[in-house]
Amino acid sequence: MGRLSLACGTLALISIILGSRTSLARPQPPGVFTGPDILRYFQHIWVPDYPWAARRNRVSGRGTYRAYVQPSGKVSRVVVVQSAGLRELDDAVVHAAMGWRAKPGKKREIDFPMAFVPPAR
């Protein structure tokens, strides 16, 4: 079930990214996207900052991360499962996700995707 949810989330994430690249009406700001199912688990999510160096160089990337959640809902650790391709992107996700708060419950590990997409030219 977890892999199916991740697969569905990944497909939705790809469609969001592709949709954001086809808009020609006005320039889009750089985007940071998460999987749509993430709100099922987390009550408070902070979107990571798009690192300036990555934005300036129009670097994009998609990665998968694992948050270790305590019964209180506090995230105790975040690890990179699959890198977004640039350490600064991974660091931004880890830093932001450490401040997330999940719904209280049992101790768990939650994998989530994150994508960084530069604005259209």
Side-chain angles (χ1 to χ4, degrees), residues 59-65 80-91 93 114-116:
V59 174
S60 62
R62 276 181 238 139
T64 304
Y65 306 88
V80 178
V81 175
Q82 180 182 358
S83 175
L86 184 67
R87 183 179 179 147
E88 287 85 357
L89 297 177
D90 293 333
D91 289 347
V93 173
M114 188 74 65
F116 291 85

Side-chain angles (χ1 to χ4, degrees), residues 102-121:
K103 296 175 183 174
K106 62 183 178 182
K107 190 174 184 178
R108 56 205 180 274
E109 300 171 9
I110 301 171
D111 288 358
F112 62 94
M114 188 74 65
F116 291 85
V117 180
R121 288 190 182 223

